Amino acid sequence: YVGGTGAPKRTLDHAEKMMEFAIEMLRYLDDFNKDSAVPIAIRIGINSGPVIAGVLGNKKMCYDLWGDAVNVASRMESTGIAGRIQVSDATHALLANSDFLFEERGRVECKGKGQMLTYLFKDRKVFH
């Protein structure tokens, strides 16, 4: 599945909103898995950049996003680690002054893109 923030109305805090959503998804799955006979694990990949958005179809309409930013987000997910949030260098740069902490994963081979620098979400900064 693909999710997006900052479209169709552009927002300056889209990366923060997507991180909040991703963290909440992992929290929900942790709670779900406590009572589940079959635990579910997901990989989450986030990228930031320009997209084209629009409505497809005549009978069954669907809002969709296209563009390189979407493709890179997909590569962040497909090369990610189950139970973790992997972000691109572009998203990491947007979150540099946020309260999210990351560890550099290093360069990962991404289909159609080559080696890409990626980061894994670690935790949030604690303010005292």
Side-chain angles (χ1 to χ4, degrees):
Y1 294 97
V2 174
T5 58
K9 185 177 179 184
R10 189 176 195 175
T11 61
L12 296 177
D13 62 346
H14 73 274
E16 289 90 348
K17 287 180 178 179
M18 189 53 72
M19 280 299 301
E20 295 288 352
F21 179 70
I23 292 165
E24 194 57 36
M25 284 176 54
L26 291 180
R27 278 193 197 125
Y28 178 83
L29 272 179
D30 281 345
D31 289 344
F32 176 85
N33 286 336
K34 289 175 186 169
D35 298 321
S36 176
V38 181
I40 297 172
I42 62 171
R43 297 180 306 250
I44 299 175
I46 301 176
N47 182 46
S48 301
V51 298
I52 297 173
V55 177
L56 299 171
N58 293 325
K59 294 181 182 176
K60 184 180 176 187
M61 292 190 221
C62 174
Y63 183 78
D64 202 0
L65 303 171
W66 303 272
D68 190 56
V70 176
N71 295 336
V72 171
S74 176
R75 300 303 180 257
M76 291 299 102
E77 179 276 325
S78 65
T79 62
I81 299 169
R84 302 289 304 269
I85 302 166
Q86 178 168 263
V87 303
S88 66
D89 194 35
T91 299
H92 182 258
L94 289 172
L95 297 171
N97 296 319
S98 70
D99 66 339
F100 302 109
L101 296 172
F102 296 91
E103 60 185 278
E104 184 177 315
R105 182 175 183 200
R107 297 199 171 273
V108 174
E109 183 66 32
C110 295
K111 181 181 171 186
K113 302 299 294 178
Q115 297 277 318
M116 296 191 75
L117 184 58
T118 65
Y119 298 84
L120 295 169
F121 171 69
K122 273 180 74 169
D123 206 347
R124 295 195 107 132
K125 294 177 185 172
V126 178
F127 299 99
H128 296 281

